[in-house]
Amino acid sequence: MKTQNYIIVLLIAFSFVMCNSPKKDKEETVSTEKTSKTDNGKHPVLSAADSLKMVNHQIEVKGDVEFPLQLTVDSLKKMKVVTIDDFKVVCQTGEVKKDDKICKGVLLKDILEKAKIRQNGHKDRNFYIVARASDDYKATFSWAEIFNNPTGDNTYILFEENGKPVKNGEMIAICKNDIKTGPRHVYWLKSIEVYKVK
Ligand SMILES: Nc1nc2c(c(=O)[nH]1)N[C@H]1C(S)=C(S)[C@@H](COP(=O)(O)O)O[C@H]1N2
Ligand SMILES: [Mo]
């Protein structure tokens, strides 16, 4: 009896050690990754090779849409191209990060109209739209902002700045009438995702 109890205790202790140690290691790795990535909100400095890996040659329009799209700079050029003058990128801190004299892009609204949000009647309008980058930086828009507000006429996917292809990827999402334009300026753009509010 005594030996049996001893074995049971040993087995419990052993399984406890087995279950916990790998898990702990994993958690530690994840949390270190997180700190180094965000670095107190500062941008990590990437090598030229690493930032090249972030570049996408096409953006995916997906989610609750009838016609998922894959858009390249060339396909944007075939849509209604708009010229935007004097666009400044201002960080939330107030710092001016970029000052474009002239840029070219397509309205996000036109892209979403092409992909056609899957709506069930006119009251079905609680959707949010995520512009996501390769580094998982993201900005969010709402259906009402894009389709029932002046913001919709000021939200673009850019492909050209000052007569040259954009830097940091091939396409950038911007919202010209934000107070601070930095937060919804998404470079290394990878996808435009449409989701219904559950
Ligand atoms: N993909 C991606 N887009 C991004 C960011 C980012 O980290 N990744 N930073 C944002 C912030 S905080 C600002 S102010 C502007 C300008 O950032 P920059 O200083 O890196 O040019 O881009 C925004 N877009
Ligand atoms: Mo910023």
Side-chain angles (χ1 to χ4, degrees):
M1 265 312 225
K2 261 189 183 170
T3 343
Q4 231 173 20
N5 280 347
Y6 181 68
I7 288 169
I8 288 169
V9 168
L10 254 181
L11 274 175
I12 291 170
F14 183 67
S15 62
F16 185 78
V17 169
M18 284 306 279
C19 292
N20 273 295
S21 51
K23 224 195 221 160
K24 235 185 185 169
D25 282 347
K26 219 178 184 181
E27 270 166 17
E28 268 160 23
T29 327
V30 169
S31 65
T32 339
E33 245 174 46
K34 262 192 189 152
T35 11
S36 64
K37 246 189 191 165
T38 46
D39 193 20
N40 296 326
K42 275 185 196 141
H43 289 183
V45 182
L46 294 184
S47 69
D50 279 344
S51 45
L52 259 182
K53 283 185 206 148
M54 296 288 187
V55 176
N56 303 291
H57 305 297
Q58 54 188 33
I59 54 170
E60 234 187 307
V61 185
K62 59 184 188 182
D64 288 326
V65 292
E66 282 180 27
F67 312 109
L69 308 170
Q70 294 200 319
L71 300 171
T72 60
V73 171
D74 279 344
S75 42
L76 290 189
K77 283 180 179 167
K78 286 183 192 130
M79 294 178 68
K80 192 179 169 220
V81 175
V82 189
T83 298
I84 304 127
D85 297 318
D86 300 316
F87 173 65
K88 277 193 183 66
V89 177
V90 185
C91 181
Q92 207 170 343
T93 59
E95 192 186 335
V96 178
K97 297 280 193 168
K98 195 162 75 178
D99 192 349
D100 285 343
K101 290 289 158 259
I102 187 166
C103 22
K104 276 184 187 172
V106 169
L107 279 176
L108 173 62
K109 195 206 279 193
D110 288 352
I111 293 172
L112 292 173
E113 270 166 3
K114 204 170 155 162
K116 203 157 183 271
I117 296 181
R118 245 191 256 132
Q119 275 176 293
N120 250 328
H122 84 285
K123 293 189 187 178
D124 185 21
R125 48 197 161 212
N126 290 289
F127 293 88
Y128 57 99
I129 298 115
V130 178
R132 191 189 302 269
S134 324
D135 60 344
D136 210 31
Y137 183 86
K138 40 205 173 298
T140 313
F141 298 88
S142 69
W143 179 91
E145 268 187 302
I146 301 298
F147 295 102
N148 194 25
N149 191 276
T151 297
D153 299 316
N154 286 281
T155 304
Y156 301 94
I157 305 302
L158 295 186
F159 57 83
E160 201 179 291
E161 293 176 297
N162 301 316
K164 289 185 192 131
V166 300
K167 290 178 201 136
N168 291 332
E170 295 191 358
M171 289 162 262
I172 300 178
I174 67 155
C175 178
K176 201 180 183 311
N177 66 346
D178 278 353
I179 295 168
K180 301 280 172 62
T181 49
R184 292 207 284 189
H185 166 269
V186 183
Y187 53 81
W188 292 326
L189 189 62
K190 182 174 134 196
S191 55
I192 296 167
E193 302 163 22
V194 179
Y195 301 113
K196 191 186 280 206
V197 177
K198 295 277 192 285

